[in-house]
Amino acid sequence: MRHFNEHRVRRVESLNGVWRFIPGGTEEPPTGDLGEAPAIIVPSCWEMLPGFESWRGRAWIVRDVERQSGIPSRLVFGGVGHTCDVYWNGSPVGHHEDAYTPFEVILPPDGSGRLAVRVDNTFGPHAALHYSNDYYSYGGITRPVVMESLPPVFVSRLRATPSREEGGWVLEVHVQLASAVGTDPSGTRCRIRLGDQILTTGTLAGADGRWKIPVGNVREWSPESPALYELSVELIGAGGEVLDDLIDRVGFREVRVAGDRILLNGRPLALRGFNRHEDHVLFGAAIPPVAMANDLALLRELGANFVRTAHYPNDRRFLDLCDETGMLVWEESHARQIDFNHPRAREQSLTSTREMLDWHHNHPSIIIWGCLNECDTKTPAGVAFHEEILNLIRETDPSRPVTYAGHHHSEDRAMHLADIVSHNMYPGWYSGGLESVAPHLEKFLAYVDSPESGAAGKPVIISEFGAGSIEGFRAPPMVKLTEDYQAALLEEGLRVFLNHPRLSGLCLWHFADCRVCEEGNWWMHRPRCLNDKGVLTRDRRRKLAFDVVRKGFKARQDKR
Ligand code: ADA
C-alpha cells in the first residue's frame, strides 16, 4: 500500500494477488464454488483481460479470505474503478464512489469468509466525475488492498503539519482513535515518536488528540534534499505494552504565497514539469511501482521538478516516491469539465476533495492542492461551486496554497478565490501558430493584473500548454500532429513561458500519450483514441519533443 510499513505492531496482510472475475454484476454476490471463473490479479484493470479491453460494465471480483475469529478487521482499498459495493459473506459492508481515493471497510470478528466486490465502470446518473472523457475510466480493483487485524481501540488517523517558527520547526500532530467493537477510546495512552525520539506521551480525553510539538533543528525537506522522518503513534497498555500503532512519514518544509511568488522554505519556486495521467500501455491505470519509478526517472531526465496529478488524486505509492525523490506535486481532486448540473456533481466533488485531503495530508511533496479542472468559472453558480470547494480545502488544510486550472481566460470570474492563478492555454495548437504564443500569454496576464480579475499580483502558473503528435509522423510539411511541429511549438512555449518574470510555473500537457474514452466522439478528435500530446508514447518511447523539453528545462534548472 505504501513504500514503508505503516505498522510494526498491528497485524497487516496484503490481499493482493489472484481473485476471481465474474462479469455481470448480479444483485447478489456469487456464493459457493467459484468454478471456472477466470482469475484476475488485484491490483489490475480488467481491460488487461482478453475480450475486456474496452469493456464497460459491472462485475464481481471475489476471493475467500482466511481470518482468525474473534478479531475484527479493517480493509483498506487503495482505489477501485470507479464505483463499488463491498460484501462480506453475502452482506453489504461498504460502498465507494470514484476510482481515485482510498477507502476503508470494517469486517466483523466472524473469522474466515468470502469477500466480494461489485465493481462498476459504467457511465450514467450515478457518476458525475466519471463520464466519456479525455482520459479512460478503467474497471477493476486498480490499487492495492490490505487487511488489518484490529485491537479493541485502534489508531484511525495520524495527521502531521510542520511549521517553521522562531525557535525552529514545530509539528502539529492530530491523532484520531476508533473502535470496531464499541470500546470507548477515552483514557487511552498515546506515545508520539519522531524517528527514535519520543516527542510526547499523553492520555486522550476522548477519541481525538492534538499536540503542537517543537522539534528543534531538523533537516528540512526540499527538492534538492528530500529529508523524511518517520512519525509514529503508539497506544500504550496498562503494563506499558504497545497495543496498536500507526506510522507515517513527514518532511519539514513550508510552502506559502508571498506577493506574486510561491515560496518553499522561504525561497521562490520556478516550477517546471508535466501533467501526468495514471495511464500505461501495459497496465492501464494500475501502474506498478517499478513503472511509477520509471516515470519519475524520465521526469528527472527531462529536467522537471514538478508534476500535476491531472485530474485526480494519485496512488499513494507514487506520492511516496515523490516524497522520497523531492518531486514537487500539485495534487487535485477529481474533475475535468464536470457538469455542475449533474445530480451527483456537488456531492461527489466534495467527497473526492475530502478524501484526498484526509488520506494524502502528510505527503511533503504535495505543495499545492488543486480542484475543478476547466469547470464553470463564468456563471454565478459555477463561481459559487469553486468557492465551496476551495474553501473546503483551505479550511481543512491551511498549510498549502489552493488553486484550480481554469481555461475561460478573461471570462474567468473565480480567480479571486484562489491563492494561485492557474490557466490551461494552447496557443499555436487549437488556434494560431507559433507566433501566437507570446501575445496570447501577454493578453492573459494583462487580464489577471487588471482590476476586473480580482487576482492582480497573485502568482501565476501555466497549468497546461502543449501540442499533439503521432509518433513517426514527420515533416515536411511542418503540419500539426507531426513530431516536428510538436517539438517546435514546445520549444517556442518554453522560450516564452519558462523565463517570464510574471510566471511561477509551467506544467506541460502531457508527459506521455494516454488512452481516452471511445464513447461519444473522442475518436474524431483523438487519433487512435489517444490523447497524443505526450512527449513520450504510451509505452514511454521518446518523441522529438522530449529532447527539446529536456534542453529547455535543464537550461532553466541551471539558471537559479
Ligand atoms: C484540457 C484538459 C486536458 C486535456 C487537454 C487537451 O486542457 O484539461 O485534460 O483534455 O485540454 O489535450 O486538449
Side-chain angles (χ1 to χ4, degrees), residues 265-525:
N265 297 336
R267 294 183 294 276
L269 284 172
L271 298 169
R272 56 186 183 277
F274 284 86
N275 288 272
R276 173 184 175 271
H277 267 301
E278 289 183 328
D279 184 281
H280 195 284
V281 68
L282 286 179
F283 311 110
I287 301 181
V290 64
M292 292 177 186
N294 180 247
D295 281 358
L296 269 172
L298 287 165
L299 283 163
R300 284 278 175 241
E301 172 71 12
L302 281 156
N305 64 0
F306 184 55
V307 63
R308 177 184 169 210
T309 68
H311 295 297
Y312 37 76
N314 270 203
D315 188 309
R316 290 192 288 173
R317 296 169 298 171
F318 181 73
L319 299 172
D320 284 342
L321 273 172
C322 293
D323 293 342
E324 292 161 6
T325 58
M327 181 60 70
L328 299 172
V329 177
W330 156 340
E331 185 166 71
E332 62 188 31
S333 48
H334 185 196
R336 180 193 177 279
Q337 296 184 5
I338 54 177
D339 171 8
F340 288 166
N341 298 314
H342 187 291
R344 305 297 309 280
R346 177 173 175 275
E347 178 201 349
Q348 291 181 341
S349 290
L350 287 166
T351 302
S352 171
T353 304
R354 281 196 194 94
E355 292 181 346
M356 172 182 75
L357 297 169
D358 184 20
W359 289 93
H360 293 175
H361 177 84
N362 294 338
H363 289 283
S365 56
I366 298 175
I367 57 165
I368 297 171
W369 292 123
C371 62
L372 297 180
N373 177 75
E374 296 196 347
C375 293
D376 172 10
T377 59
K378 294 184 186 177
T379 67
V383 172
F385 199 107
H386 281 76
E387 184 161 24
E388 182 173 19
I389 300 280
L390 289 165
N391 286 347
L392 168 65
I393 298 174
R394 227 183 242 114
E395 284 151 21
T396 310
D397 178 14
S399 75
R400 292 173 171 99
V402 298
T403 190
Y404 65 87
H407 70 148
H408 292 131
H409 211 284
S410 53
E411 296 177 288
D412 185 324
R413 294 290 175 269
M415 284 182 190
H416 64 286
L417 299 167
D419 298 322
I420 300 168
V421 173
S422 301
H423 216 76
N424 302 340
M425 52 175 69
Y426 289 87
W429 182 252
Y430 290 114
S431 62
L434 306 190
E435 76 296 333
S436 67
V437 178
H440 186 93
L441 174 66
E442 291 312 323
K443 189 163 172 256
F444 173 70
L445 293 176
Y447 170 68
V448 171
D449 287 335
S450 73
E452 203 186 340
S453 77
K458 288 188 176 181
V460 178
I461 290 178
I462 302 304
S463 37
E464 290 183 29
F465 168 78
S469 73
I470 297 174
E471 79 269 13
F473 179 35
R474 295 298 306 278
M478 175 65 102
V479 294
K480 290 179 180 177
L481 281 178
T482 59
E483 288 192 46
D484 311 73
Y485 186 83
Q486 181 190 35
L489 183 55
L490 287 181
E491 187 170 29
E492 174 62 3
L494 267 58
R495 185 191 69 80
V496 171
F497 296 131
L498 265 191
N499 296 293
H500 196 292
R502 187 66 183 83
L503 297 180
S504 290
L506 168 63
C507 201
L508 295 174
W509 187 275
H510 186 256
F511 170 67
D513 291 354
C514 72
R515 184 176 180 184
V516 306
C517 287
E518 288 106 20
E519 297 86 348
N521 60 3
W522 282 109
W523 58 272
M524 207 184 286
H525 312 284

Side-chain angles (χ1 to χ4, degrees), residues 91-219:
S91 302
V93 289
H95 173 78
H96 190 262
E97 297 170 356
D98 214 68
Y100 305 115
T101 43
F103 62 98
E104 57 198 297
V105 173
I106 298 293
L107 298 185
D110 58 355
S112 301
R114 172 156 296 173
L115 179 59
V117 185
R118 180 173 51 225
V119 182
D120 174 1
N121 79 336
T122 61
F123 296 147
H126 61 302
L129 311 182
H130 286 276
Y131 64 96
S132 178
N133 218 330
D134 201 13
Y135 55 101
Y136 200 81
S137 281
Y138 291 93
I141 300 178
T142 54
R143 295 180 184 171
V145 185
V146 295
M147 178 170 73
E148 304 169 349
S149 299
L150 293 179
V153 173
F154 65 95
V155 183
S156 168
R157 289 288 185 278
L158 167 61
R159 278 165 67 99
T161 308
S163 58
R164 217 168 28 168
E165 302 197 358
E166 286 309 308
W169 286 93
V170 174
L171 193 64
E172 209 169 319
V173 179
H174 179 201
V175 171
Q176 288 172 283
L177 306 185
S179 172
V181 292
T183 304
D184 177 1
S186 51
T188 303
R189 192 158 174 68
C190 278
R191 179 165 59 208
I192 313 278
R193 288 177 193 274
L194 184 69
D196 297 332
Q197 179 195 355
I198 294 178
L199 290 185
T200 186
T201 56
T203 301
L204 269 62
D208 271 58
R210 292 175 190 274
W211 296 267
K212 194 159 182 177
I213 312 165
V215 293
N217 290 321
V218 288
R219 285 184 300 132

